[in-house]
Amino acid sequence: MDFRIGHGYDVHALADSLPLVLGGVEIAHTKGCVAHSDGDVAIHALCDALLGAAALGDIGLHFPDTSADFAGIDSKILLRRVAELLREKGYEIGNVDCTIRAQQPRLRPHIDAMRRAMAGAMGVDDDRVSVKATTTEHLGFEGREEGISVSAVALIYRPADGKFNLQFRIQNCLYLYDQTPNRDAYEAVENNLSTPCLRAHDI
Ligand code: MG
């Protein structure tokens, strides 16, 4: 199994009277994120974590904020596309974890809705998606309510070719061993395989 881990981080400034969208959920608040897209800073950090795990660059590379195609776009569409990109490379999403730093509003009531929304966009079960929120005790730009930051990590995996091969090789090895009780004959068969078979005592 080929495991990969990725990290993402994003910041958006807050401004009055803009919609606040976090983790795919619109949240009632007096301020929202300034952005080219819908400003979903949580999904942006998550996209970067997923892309980073697969060494596929970052969200700006795939969805440039200079492109009119992405003006005001629902970031769940971007997350869905990122999940597709990973699957095109043979990866599946193991789990993701996001930490949102915002002084206001209180995010606890929205956590499960965010998990469902992001899990839906990625095509995974809700329990593979964790969202946590914290204030910064009024410290820093988040604490002054000038912006929101999010960090995210993602674990992805790709069943290695060797997994199938190993199962096949074990079965093959047991078969050969049964068919060739003569140890010398067994060794000869094993030595003629393009990749060495497991020794009987390794199985
Ligand atoms: Mg962003």
Side-chain angles (χ1 to χ4, degrees):
M1 194 83 79
D2 181 14
F3 289 101
R4 310 282 293 259
I5 191 165
H7 171 256
Y9 176 72
D10 196 25
V11 174
H12 279 260
L14 287 167
D16 291 337
S17 305
L18 290 175
L20 178 63
V21 182
L22 283 174
V25 176
E26 186 161 345
I27 295 169
H29 190 45
T30 55
K31 298 179 176 183
C33 287
V34 179
H36 183 66
S37 66
D38 65 358
D40 193 327
V41 59
I43 286 188
H44 297 177
L46 178 53
C47 286
D48 268 358
L50 292 166
L51 291 168
L56 282 171
D58 62 22
I59 190 170
L61 176 71
H62 294 276
F63 315 110
D65 62 9
T66 51
S67 167
D69 292 347
F70 306 117
I73 194 169
D74 179 342
S75 292
K76 291 194 295 295
I77 295 169
L78 308 184
L79 181 55
R80 186 176 296 276
R81 178 62 187 141
V82 166
E84 285 173 6
L85 285 169
L86 263 59
R87 292 193 175 104
E88 285 167 13
K89 283 193 75 174
Y91 289 111
E92 190 46 71
I93 296 163
N95 73 298
V96 302
D97 186 20
C98 305
T99 301
I100 303 171
R101 289 177 284 265
Q103 194 64 43
Q104 290 285 346
R106 298 291 293 169
L107 296 175
R108 168 72 55 195
H110 307 288
I111 293 289
D112 284 343
M114 292 186 217
R115 292 176 59 216
R116 279 195 299 275
M118 293 197 288
M122 291 185 285
V124 301
D125 291 341
D126 297 358
D127 73 352
R128 293 184 183 272
V129 181
S130 166
V131 176
K132 310 187 301 296
T134 183
T135 71
T136 60
E137 301 290 341
H138 301 282
L139 296 170
F141 65 84
E142 302 101 326
R144 293 189 296 270
E145 300 179 48
E146 296 169 0
I148 292 177
S149 67
V150 179
S151 50
V153 291
L155 184 85
I156 65 173
Y157 62 93
R158 177 166 55 188
D161 291 343
K163 187 186 179 192
F164 170 78
N165 289 345
L166 182 62
Q167 289 173 340
F168 174 79
R169 284 167 59 189
I170 289 171
Q171 288 171 359
N172 199 37
C173 202
L174 288 169
Y175 173 79
L176 288 173
Y177 197 71
D178 281 349
Q179 298 301 308
T180 55
N182 179 321
R183 188 70 193 176
D184 291 340
Y186 172 76
E187 294 282 349
V189 170
E190 186 181 59
N191 291 338
N192 281 327
L193 294 173
S194 58
T195 51
C197 192
L198 291 174
R199 302 281 166 176
H201 58 73
D202 290 333
I203 296 171

